[in-house]
Amino acid sequence: MEAGRRTEAGDCAGAGPVFTLEEVAKRNSSREAWLVIHGRVYDVTRFLEEHPGGEEVLLEQAGRDATESFEDVGHSSDAREMLKQYYIGEIHPHDRKKEGSKNPSMTSSGQSSFWSTWLIPVFGALVLGLMYRYYMSDGRTS
Ligand code: HEM
């Protein structure tokens, strides 16, 4: 039932087996802890005790997409280098988070950001236009 063989991927990230988020979600304990960072799957089981930030935070993120937490901490480039040691594969494209989204209208949240980026300036321009008209007509009558 193992969906992907473990590969000592080293620095050839990008060529590993593909996992779904569902498969990753099963590995959320100290016995087996996987997490997703930037669309890549990492097996951090043997790193739990070594993590300078403690094993709790890793266990909290285990089985999930930890990209945001990982980035929020502002990990050093050394930490990013270390990631390679734990790389085991890629996350399935369907389960990928939209990062720097190429297709913002695909998701509902993308849609809402589409509307807010367009509606707010258009509405602002409209209000300004009306204020300008009001101001001009006011100037003419008085
Ligand atoms: C495989 C993934 C990870 C690796 C290789 C890693 C590696 C490291 C390393 C090397 C440090 C020492 C500071 C640095 O060099 O930046 C560190 C600190 C830390 N990490 Fe991670 N980390 C990983 C995932 C995470 C995740 C998912 C979290 C979630 C919150 C996290 C939270 C922290 C915290 C809170 C610190 C302590 C920061 C501090 O004391 O200034 N790490 N990590």
Side-chain angles (χ1 to χ4, degrees):
M1 266 280 280
E2 280 293 299
R5 285 146 285 113
R6 277 202 55 150
T7 51
E8 292 307 323
D11 57 2
C12 57
V18 175
F19 301 100
T20 60
L21 261 187
E22 209 185 324
E23 284 171 297
V24 175
K26 291 178 200 156
R27 278 71 175 205
N28 64 352
S29 69
S30 53
R31 225 166 13 91
E32 213 179 5
W34 292 8
L35 41 85
V36 180
I37 297 172
H38 292 301
R40 293 186 176 146
V41 184
Y42 299 94
D43 180 348
V44 293
T45 317
R46 62 198 160 96
F47 180 60
L48 289 174
E49 284 174 22
E50 294 165 30
H51 182 221
E55 69 176 320
E56 295 81 15
V57 285
L58 290 186
L59 284 172
E60 224 168 77
Q61 298 301 322
R64 300 203 291 189
D65 191 311
T67 309
E68 237 174 271
S69 335
F70 183 82
E71 291 302 341
D72 281 353
V73 171
H75 282 92
S76 64
S77 47
D78 278 356
R80 285 160 206 280
E81 273 297 302
M82 287 169 80
L83 276 179
K84 291 179 185 170
Q85 299 172 42
Y86 306 104
Y87 173 85
I88 54 167
E90 301 287 310
I91 201 75
H92 193 282
H94 284 168
D95 287 340
R96 259 169 197 266
K97 276 205 174 165
K98 311 281 172 295
E99 286 180 38
S101 189
K102 287 181 207 132
N103 209 344
S105 58
M106 285 287 285
T107 61
S108 56
S109 64
Q111 255 167 18
S112 75
S113 80
F114 170 83
W115 284 112
S116 54
T117 44
W118 285 102
L119 269 186
I120 291 169
V122 167
F123 187 71
L126 215 73
V127 169
L128 275 176
L130 283 172
M131 278 169 70
Y132 180 72
R133 267 187 68 164
Y134 178 76
Y135 175 78
M136 291 306 276
S137 64
D138 205 38
R140 248 186 277 129
T141 50
S142 63

